[in-house]
Amino acid sequence: DAKTTQPTSMDCAEGRAANLPCNHSTISGNEYVYWYRQIHSQGPQYIIHGLKNNETNEMASLIITEDRKSSTLILPHATLRDTAVYYCIVRVAGNTGKLIFGQGTTLQVKP
Amino acid sequence: GAVVSQHPSWVICKSGTSVKIECRSLDFQATTMFWYRQFPKQSLMLMATSNEGSKATYEQGVEKDKFLINHASLTLSTLTVTSAHPEDSSFYICSALSGGAHGTQYFGPGTRLLVL
């Protein structure tokens, strides 16, 4: 399974863009990068996923480097409600669909 | 979006009793569901993969006789913690896979279990 490395914590000012990095240097060609977040005492919330192209949805943008060894999740205008633990996960190859969670990045959005 | 519910949201039980937690996919069918456990200040730990109509696949170190999983329909999986002990107190979270094996997992809100 490809492992991911994320900073333990980050701060962001409210209204500014939050850029959360993730390294996944051992990713395989058929493995997707998934991002979830977990707000305190809740189940994780799906944000976005991608294979090699950049992706955007109503929540965030995902930028994947050309060599696919790293990616960045961008929250364009962070709000206080975006304070959460953000998990970058490389989807296990094969057809099990399992997600293995690391420690994630705790994002604190400050007023 | 895909919605997954869990019931109950929290439960308190006495040591030695069994507790059943339900996980339902409300607006999609899920042949595969997953059960996770999360202790305070830790990340989610995958316990098992639940497959509709077949036996669950447990992760290493998870006792299958203690954590009974049943996935009897395409929208319901249950986790039963048998003979619960205080060390089983945790936050139990399920997820359901939408869109087949290469689809996306959507998570339930979690069930907080406290064993006295």
Side-chain angles (χ1 to χ4, degrees):
Chain A
D1 308 347
K3 284 192 167 183
T4 63
T5 304
Q6 299 178 253
T8 303
S9 63
M10 293 180 63
D11 289 343
C12 177
E14 187 179 21
R16 304 297 293 269
N19 298 286
L20 292 93
C22 179
N23 286 317
H24 31 78
S25 58
T26 61
I27 192 169
S28 299
N30 62 347
E31 291 182 312
Y32 286 76
V33 179
Y34 279 78
W35 283 84
Y36 285 81
R37 72 180 182 183
Q38 186 178 27
I39 296 170
H40 185 62
S41 295
Q42 297 180 25
Q45 178 187 23
Y46 166 77
I47 301 174
I48 200 167
H49 74 280
L51 183 62
K52 53 184 177 182
N53 296 323
N54 297 338
E55 302 288 344
T56 296
N57 62 21
E58 65 278 6
M59 288 184 67
S61 294
L62 174 60
I63 308 298
I64 302 174
T65 58
E66 195 168 335
D67 63 8
R68 300 187 70 239
K69 293 185 177 183
S70 65
S71 61
T72 301
L73 179 74
I74 301 173
L75 307 178
H77 305 287
T79 71
L80 299 179
R81 285 181 289 185
D82 292 322
T83 293
V85 179
Y86 286 77
Y87 296 99
C88 168
I89 305 168
V90 173
R91 174 77 162 264
V92 175
N95 61 1
T96 63
K98 292 198 297 187
L99 295 174
I100 305 299
F101 283 76
Q103 295 306 307
T105 296
T106 299
L107 175 68
Q108 182 74 47
V109 181
K110 299 186 174 182
Chain B
V3 180
V4 177
S5 70
Q6 281 185 241
H7 178 81
S9 56
W10 59 270
V11 57
I12 302 173
C13 70
K14 293 182 179 180
S15 186
T17 61
S18 294
V19 175
K20 180 186 284 188
I21 302 170
E22 292 185 349
C23 177
R24 294 182 185 272
S25 55
L26 298 185
D27 51 2
F28 65 100
Q29 294 184 329
T31 56
T32 305
M33 293 184 174
F34 301 88
W35 287 96
Y36 296 80
R37 181 168 53 179
Q38 186 176 34
F39 293 107
K41 298 189 186 301
Q42 294 186 23
S43 187
L44 283 78
M45 185 189 78
L46 179 64
M47 299 175 67
T49 302
S50 170
N51 298 297
E52 188 266 337
S54 65
K55 291 183 178 181
T57 304
Y58 291 82
E59 295 298 304
Q60 193 172 11
V62 178
E63 300 174 59
K64 62 180 181 180
D65 294 330
K66 180 167 185 61
F67 299 100
L68 301 179
I69 292 173
N70 184 276
H71 193 157
S73 79
L74 290 173
T75 59
L76 173 64
S77 176
T78 61
L79 169 70
T80 301
V81 183
T82 62
S83 187
H85 292 287
E87 57 265 30
D88 298 322
S89 298
S90 189
F91 191 46
Y92 291 87
I93 310 169
C94 74
S95 70
L97 191 59
S98 173
H102 299 289
T104 298
Q105 278 191 43
Y106 293 94
F107 286 79
T111 297
R112 196 162 298 281
L113 170 64
L114 177 61
V115 185
L116 301 177

